[in-house]
Amino acid sequence: MSDARTPFATTGSGGLVERVELSAGALRVAVLTYGAILQDLRFGDLPYSLTLGSDRLADYEGAMRWHGALIAPVANRLGAGRAWLRGNEIVPERASGDRHLLHSGAAGTHAKLWRVEGLAPDRVTLAVDLAHGEGGFPGNRQVRAEYSVTPSSLRLRVTARTDRPTLFNAANHSYWNLDGSESWAGHRLHVAADRVLAVTDEVVPTGEIPAVAGTALDFRAARDIAPGDPALDTCFCLSDERRTLRPVLWLRGQSGVTMQVATTEPGVQVYDGRDAVRPGRAAYEGLAIEAQGWPDAPNHPGFPSIELMPGEPGEQITEWRFAGG
């Protein structure tokens, strides 16, 4: 085991979780083989991580189960826990009492042990296989996640293959605070989206796609944000289909550190972290920024498709670019 690849913890079933460190110039990151979690990101001489993580596996198995993880096969919500695929109804497994499916439920890759398939000082490739019928989703699926770094950017390339028609919509679920502070209050946000998805009180899309103009969700020009002003658990609609990699979101802390997010995906979910509390910390500590396909897409014919077909490998790329500090 190289110095960049060290033991982190052991799962209840005896599986070894490893911590993999990557670096290039001023950027240093740590990734866990549990959940393909982005655990830590250090930039320049800043004395704190820009992303929220933990040194305890128990935290990731509990209250922090989404922090930094790669969510798949289907990120975000499926209304009523159901989805349509080529005229066939899929009913994924969900916890007793849950009306909707969130982040693929117990079958999600956020709670799986990934294996290292490739490793270099500036990149790691992690892999996990999902069996046909697992969690109610069809297809034997092979998922790969490659994290790679340059002196000022982190890139995540996710690929997936299947032997049967299925659904696939992955998202990295990292929380960000560019100031190392108790909350993200005082950050400035800019999102290149002129529409959002309207949702119910349970954050399930209604099918409506209202314009942001004249609303509190208009971030087409950068502006300061504060907890609750506005409340954010919102899918910003960037395009009607996947595009080539392009910048879509900009975040700036009071420290002067900036993060630009580029992605191939048609949407980006921004969540204010009101209920995502790390042990010993408070609400609103970090902003979740999740590039992804539009949530609940299989149940809305006008939404960009998240279908994955045999012989047509899926690919999505998200890149975080840092400056300042």
Side-chain angles (χ1 to χ4, degrees):
M1 189 176 297
S2 71
D3 292 341
R5 184 177 173 183
T6 56
F8 178 76
T10 303
T11 66
S13 59
L16 174 64
V17 178
E18 295 177 278
R19 184 178 192 263
V20 180
E21 296 182 10
L22 310 175
S23 65
L27 191 64
R28 305 170 304 284
V29 306
V31 177
L32 303 181
T33 56
Y34 179 84
I37 287 169
L38 176 62
Q39 182 213 17
D40 193 84
L41 187 147
R42 306 284 171 149
F43 182 60
D45 296 326
L46 295 172
Y48 53 85
S49 175
L50 301 185
T51 194
L52 307 185
S54 174
D55 292 328
R56 292 168 17 99
L57 180 61
D59 291 340
Y60 289 115
E61 293 174 324
M64 290 179 61
R65 62 190 178 278
W66 313 130
H67 278 68
L70 181 61
I71 309 295
V74 177
N76 218 307
R77 291 163 178 82
L78 287 176
R82 299 173 185 271
W84 292 91
L85 175 64
R86 304 270 166 132
N88 297 312
E89 188 179 33
I90 296 173
V91 184
E93 298 173 10
R94 61 188 190 274
S96 176
D98 287 353
R99 283 171 40 83
H100 312 291
L101 184 75
L102 176 62
H103 295 328
S104 306
T109 57
H110 65 280
K112 291 192 176 295
L113 194 59
W114 295 58
R115 61 186 182 273
V116 177
E117 282 201 340
L119 179 61
D122 63 348
R123 67 190 60 231
V124 62
T125 301
L126 304 177
V128 70
D129 299 328
L130 307 175
H132 172 62
E134 184 175 0
F137 291 99
N140 294 296
R141 292 143 292 159
Q142 297 82 45
V143 185
R144 303 292 181 271
E146 181 190 66
Y147 285 97
S148 59
V149 296
T150 73
S152 62
S153 69
L154 169 67
R155 174 179 285 203
L156 171 61
R157 177 176 177 262
V158 180
T159 59
R161 294 179 179 270
T162 181
D163 64 358
R164 292 175 175 84
T166 193
L167 303 173
F168 192 79
N169 179 24
N172 173 272
H173 203 299
S174 291
Y175 287 84
W176 301 93
N177 183 324
L178 305 184
D179 294 337
S181 49
E182 293 184 359
S183 87
W184 49 258
H187 281 55
R188 290 178 68 82
L189 179 65
H190 173 198
V191 187
D194 56 13
R195 299 170 297 161
V196 294
L197 292 185
V199 295
T200 68
D201 290 342
E202 296 174 299
V203 203
V204 175
T206 65
E208 299 175 292
I209 313 172
V212 299
T215 77
L217 296 174
D218 189 350
F219 289 98
R220 292 174 297 173
R223 60 186 176 91
D224 291 347
I225 50 176
D229 184 23
L232 290 167
D233 195 356
T234 305
C235 180
F236 290 85
C237 302
L238 307 168
S239 58
D240 293 319
E241 60 185 0
R242 280 198 176 116
R243 298 258 180 101
T244 55
L245 187 70
R246 79 286 193 203
V248 299
L249 182 148
W250 296 258
L251 188 67
R252 181 183 182 91
Q254 296 182 87
S255 60
V257 176
T258 63
M259 180 177 76
Q260 179 190 89
V261 179
T263 188
T264 56
E265 298 310 284
V268 61
Q269 187 89 10
V270 179
Y271 171 54
D272 55 26
R274 72 195 81 150
D275 295 319
V277 182
R278 291 197 295 173
R281 305 300 179 94
Y284 300 106
E285 185 186 9
L287 278 174
I289 298 172
E290 312 155 50
Q292 60 186 266
W294 298 6
D296 204 29
N299 297 318
H300 301 277
F303 286 14
S305 174
I306 62 168
E307 293 180 358
L308 179 65
M309 295 294 121
E312 300 177 4
E315 178 186 70
Q316 57 190 86
I317 298 173
T318 299
E319 190 168 282
W320 299 267
R321 302 164 180 170
F322 304 93

